Amino acid sequence: MNKRTSGFEHGTASFAEKKVTWLELFYDLLFVAAVSKASHVLLHVEAGTIPLEYLSKFILIFIPIWWAWVGQSLFVNRFGQDIFSHRIFLILQLFFVLIMTASLSVNFDQYYMPFLIGYVGLRAMTAIQYLTVNKNEAADRKDTARYLGSRFWIGLVISALSLFFDSWIRYVVLYTGITIDILLPLIGRRYLVKSPINTHHLLERFSLFTLILLGESVVSILAVLQSSHWTWQSILFALLTFLLIIAMWWQYFDNVEKKVDKTIETAGQTIIYGHLFIYVSLSMIAASIQLLFLEQLNYTFMVCFIFGSVLLYFFSTSLVFHKYRRIQQRLGIFHLALLLGILGVFFAVDLFFLIPNYLIIGEMVLFFAVYAKLTT
């Protein structure tokens, strides 16, 4: 086996060498449909707003998708090897991904059983993988594998117990288990920092998932162009939206590629948990594009929703990458004030004056262009 793919090794050289495998990319591909189904929950409009019920359901659907993907990505990052047994585990997980994705719906009750089977199956496979590699590891890495492999069963058992309950209690039990599952790496941080993640590989994995979310915005452009007759307003809106996506891509990926120190050894939890908010904001921005064009939402609600989405993206990306950026290239108070000032001025103007949808998108393009310039 090529040493480059033989798993995690300490040292800067090995950090730079660990690459995403083709099977990991195929694994991501199956999550595209799951992300798409979750994002479409935000397109439910009633009386000019997105009801709190659907906003909540979007979050409740998205979190298990994110965590299931994160769980396997972190295992591969620390212990993954391109060998037959690890490939079999990943292929088995692909089957559970299909089950979970097929069951994603705003009608939780109707598809509850397949969703639970898919999610618990995914997480159980990851826990078993940790217990398997634990036998061949030593010292700190053995402690990390044993801790994660044994503790993850706590959340899985609690979530599985939801089968014995009905109505809203079932979901409380389910998400109690998921919450415990998500918190366990934070609780056991003392084990994880002793066997740090491969920052280069982890950022590459999360960047690829970010690309999937940006793809949802591209789909929104297609939906815009297909939902109406081509007028100069719709063409301008689509053009500006395309520029917005390019600016967001430029800001995120140039920042990751050029400004982030990938040799830093940490538990990676800022990257892991911070990206949940990045992904949620990207889904919200993708939904905003369609809803802004179709003008189905109350104007004030629409302005608040799209600016709230962009603000969440700005804060989460600033927080996630601040620690990993080289010290001389970190954003200062002036940069934060400037960017917040731009958003604040646009928001105030849009609240007091009725601004056409393409101009609102134009404001977002300008903001992300400045953000990209300052961060890349």
Side-chain angles (χ1 to χ4, degrees):
M1 182 192 308
N2 190 315
K3 184 177 180 181
R4 184 166 65 90
T5 58
S6 63
F8 179 90
E9 296 180 45
H10 291 287
T12 302
S14 62
F15 267 53
E17 291 173 358
K18 190 176 181 71
K19 298 293 184 181
V20 174
T21 66
W22 291 112
L23 189 55
E24 287 180 88
L25 294 175
F26 185 58
Y27 185 78
D28 289 353
L29 186 63
L30 270 68
F31 275 91
V32 172
V35 168
S36 179
K37 292 185 75 170
S39 299
H40 276 68
V41 174
L42 293 172
L43 300 180
H44 288 79
V45 177
E46 294 180 7
T49 65
I50 303 173
L52 181 60
E53 173 191 358
Y54 287 99
L55 290 172
S56 302
K57 285 183 176 180
F58 162 70
I59 298 297
L60 293 177
I61 291 173
F62 196 91
I63 287 178
I65 295 172
W66 162 78
W67 187 241
W69 178 85
V70 164
Q72 180 59 25
S73 297
L74 288 178
F75 171 81
V76 173
N77 184 274
R78 281 194 173 92
F79 301 103
Q81 301 179 45
D82 194 12
I83 58 178
F84 180 77
S85 61
H86 286 201
R87 285 187 176 188
I88 293 301
F89 270 113
L90 198 55
I91 290 170
L92 287 173
Q93 290 192 52
L94 292 176
F95 175 70
F96 287 111
V97 173
L98 287 174
I99 295 175
M100 186 178 72
T101 301
S103 65
L104 294 176
S105 170
V106 292
N107 187 352
F108 278 113
D109 289 327
Q110 184 178 353
Y111 300 98
Y112 187 80
M113 181 62 75
F115 170 80
L116 185 65
I117 292 173
Y119 175 77
V120 171
L122 272 169
R123 298 297 295 135
M125 286 292 103
T126 302
I128 292 171
Q129 283 180 289
Y130 278 115
L131 293 177
T132 301
V133 299
N134 166 60
K135 301 174 183 177
N136 301 319
E137 297 292 340
D140 294 331
R141 286 169 58 76
K142 185 178 185 69
D143 291 339
T144 298
R146 182 171 58 244
Y147 173 80
L148 295 175
S150 60
R151 300 304 194 277
F152 278 146
W153 290 102
I154 299 173
L156 287 174
V157 170
I158 293 174
S159 292
L161 288 175
S162 64
L163 284 174
F164 298 99
F165 299 91
D166 293 319
S167 68
W168 59 269
I169 300 177
R170 166 186 287 181
Y171 300 104
V172 171
V173 176
L174 170 67
Y175 282 95
T176 297
I178 293 175
T179 302
I180 291 173
D181 209 35
I182 293 173
L183 292 177
L184 280 170
L186 294 172
I187 296 171
R189 180 178 171 81
R190 66 183 183 277
Y191 297 105
L192 275 58
V193 294
K194 295 178 182 178
S195 52
I197 50 91
N198 183 311
T199 304
H200 183 278
H201 175 268
L202 192 69
L203 283 172
E204 190 173 3
R205 295 293 290 122
F206 277 85
S207 296
L208 289 169
F209 205 79
T210 300
L211 206 58
I212 292 174
L213 271 299
L214 282 177
E216 282 299 304
S217 294
V218 174
V219 171
S220 294
I221 296 180
L222 296 177
V224 164
L225 291 175
Q226 293 172 354
S227 63
S228 68
H229 299 293
W230 285 33
T231 64
W232 72 266
Q233 290 98 335
S234 63
I235 294 174
L236 180 59
F237 184 92
L239 174 61
L240 289 172
T241 302
F242 175 72
L243 293 177
L244 170 63
I245 296 170
I246 293 299
M248 293 173 65
W249 171 85
W250 205 302
Q251 185 280 321
Y252 182 93
F253 287 94
D254 247 28
N255 182 53
V256 170
E257 188 66 27
K258 298 178 180 179
K259 303 298 183 181
V260 172
D261 185 357
K262 300 180 180 66
T263 64
I264 296 177
E265 298 186 15
T266 69
Q269 291 174 339
T270 302
I271 296 173
I272 296 162
Y273 294 96
H275 267 82
L276 170 61
F277 299 96
I278 294 176
Y279 295 156
V280 166
S281 64
L282 285 172
S283 294
M284 293 170 65
I285 290 171
S288 298
I289 292 170
Q290 288 194 53
L291 295 173
L292 185 61
F293 179 79
L294 297 175
E295 298 181 340
Q296 294 178 340
L297 290 175
N298 172 277
Y299 177 78
T300 301
F301 181 89
M302 184 68 254
V303 170
C304 292
F305 185 72
I306 190 169
F307 275 88
S309 305
V310 172
L311 188 64
L312 178 61
Y313 177 88
F314 168 64
F315 277 135
S316 52
T317 50
S318 297
L319 175 64
V320 166
F321 294 115
H322 180 74
K323 180 179 180 181
Y324 291 89
R325 289 170 67 88
R326 298 175 182 87
I327 295 178
Q328 68 273 18
Q329 295 175 332
R330 291 176 180 173
L331 293 180
I333 298 298
F334 168 76
H335 302 105
L336 294 175
L338 174 62
L339 290 164
L340 287 175
I342 293 172
L343 271 182
V345 169
F346 285 154
F347 180 66
V349 170
D350 292 354
L351 280 183
F352 283 101
F353 301 96
L354 191 64
I355 305 297
N357 54 15
Y358 54 85
L359 287 184
I360 295 177
I361 290 294
E363 293 170 348
M364 297 301 102
V365 173
L366 180 59
F367 169 79
F368 275 101
V370 175
Y371 190 25
K373 177 63 177 177
L374 291 178
T375 55
T376 64

